Amino acid sequence: MDPITQFIFAAAAGAIGAELEVNFLVVGGGGGGGNSGPQSGGGAGGFITSWNPNNYSHIYSGAQSQTLSPVILSENASYNVSVGAGGGYGQNNGSDSSFGGTDKAGNTFNHQAEGGGYGGGNGFGGSSGGSGGGGGLIGNIYQSPGQGTANQGNRGYGLTGMGPINNNYLCSLYGGNSYWCQPTWVSGGGGGGSASIGSLQNGGDATYSDIIGTNTAYAAGGVAEGTYGNNAGNPPGGYQTGNSGGGGRGGQSGGADGVVILRFPSSFSYSTSGLTVAQTLTIGTDTVLEFTQGAGNITFS
């Protein structure tokens, strides 16, 4: 047998014996931005990933936790994929995203990233989720920010800088939830991000991954609109744009949709149903699929 034929047979044998190892990145939909009062930022969707091919200590999953292990899957078996939508503007959490099924060893897995919590406003606090929304206000009493999910995200930021109430005498007459008991101004809190908690007006940081071949930001917290009340003249904080699973901006927007990304050897083919594939990439010897909408399944062969 000539050398070229030997190489072809050896390569085919390697492909036949190759393991179907699938790396994943799953991000929940971001929470909606607060739509009243301090207009706090929405929390980012939860972030989980196995992608860390060189086992670097500075590559993280959500909340700067250790990356997970890739899954070894079977051919001709169906695996579930669901992409969570972002929460609408106001009191709306994002939806969960997930990737699950039964691996080659017969173990059931479900890698689920929680949707982000909505940002707080006048009359309600921030909601918990993958990352939590910024805090809110009832009368002149701060309401807590939402909490993040362990190993997925971080809490939002509480309100700060509250001014005096409008009228102490009328507040005492009409009660703690009346207009007269509202503060003259207050700064909203940023939504939690997948890498850090929110801060004064600014959302928490995104987590970066190069699973699609370029270093990309995922799941940043939404910013607060700024201050409100009689002295509401300060500009809003910074704005982290364009990332999947990002929290909504307080006073302006809902959260961004989540994403599910799978990376596996190109020696395997695949079919999908019920899912929107935003892009299909070939990187070295791997195929990368990015799902941006839907709930369906993928089968490898």
Side-chain angles (χ1 to χ4, degrees):
M1 186 181 295
D2 64 89
I4 294 177
T5 304
Q6 285 180 325
F7 175 80
I8 293 171
F9 272 91
I16 292 170
E19 291 270 50
L20 176 51
E21 180 180 272
V22 179
N23 278 281
F24 55 87
L25 182 149
V26 184
V27 180
N35 62 349
S36 65
Q39 300 175 331
S40 288
F47 175 95
I48 53 177
T49 188
S50 65
W51 181 247
N52 187 8
N54 297 308
N55 294 314
Y56 289 136
S57 60
H58 65 280
I59 302 298
Y60 302 111
S61 192
Q64 300 193 20
S65 61
Q66 185 175 358
T67 52
L68 305 177
S69 298
V71 289
I72 308 299
L73 303 184
S74 301
E75 297 178 65
N76 302 313
S78 180
Y79 297 92
N80 302 318
V81 175
S82 180
V83 182
Y89 177 49
Q91 291 177 262
N92 298 292
N93 280 9
S95 298
D96 302 341
S97 297
S98 62
F99 168 50
T102 302
D103 67 17
K104 189 173 182 178
N107 300 311
T108 300
F109 67 93
N110 184 35
H111 294 299
Q112 179 168 299
E114 305 294 316
Y118 59 76
N122 190 23
F124 54 92
S127 180
S128 296
S131 285
L137 189 71
I138 295 179
N140 61 348
I141 300 174
Y142 289 146
Q143 302 301 302
S144 297
Q147 299 300 306
T149 300
N151 301 325
Q152 293 194 20
N154 294 279
R155 67 173 174 84
Y157 194 77
L159 306 184
T160 59
M162 186 167 69
I165 61 177
N166 279 299
N167 188 301
N168 287 307
Y169 173 70
L170 292 177
C171 176
S172 68
L173 289 180
Y174 291 101
N177 290 324
S178 70
Y179 164 80
W180 304 108
C181 295
Q182 304 299 313
T184 55
W185 61 270
V186 64
S187 295
S194 56
S196 67
I197 66 172
S199 62
L200 173 60
Q201 298 189 346
N202 288 314
D205 291 334
T207 301
Y208 285 79
S209 174
D210 66 354
I211 191 170
I212 63 171
T214 55
N215 209 28
T216 303
Y218 299 95
V223 304
E225 178 60 21
T227 59
Y228 90 104
N230 296 339
N231 299 317
N234 294 338
Y239 190 30
Q240 301 188 19
T241 60
N243 57 89
S244 298
R249 181 170 184 153
Q252 291 196 20
S253 68
D257 292 341
V259 68
V260 176
I261 299 172
L262 304 180
R263 182 165 176 163
F264 54 91
S266 296
S267 54
F268 295 93
S269 58
Y270 66 90
S271 62
T272 65
S273 65
L275 297 161
T276 298
V277 183
Q279 60 177 339
T280 303
L281 304 171
T282 300
I283 304 175
T285 59
D286 289 345
T287 296
V288 182
L289 302 177
E290 181 176 3
F291 302 104
T292 54
Q293 284 185 321
N297 57 70
I298 181 169
T299 302
F300 301 94
S301 57

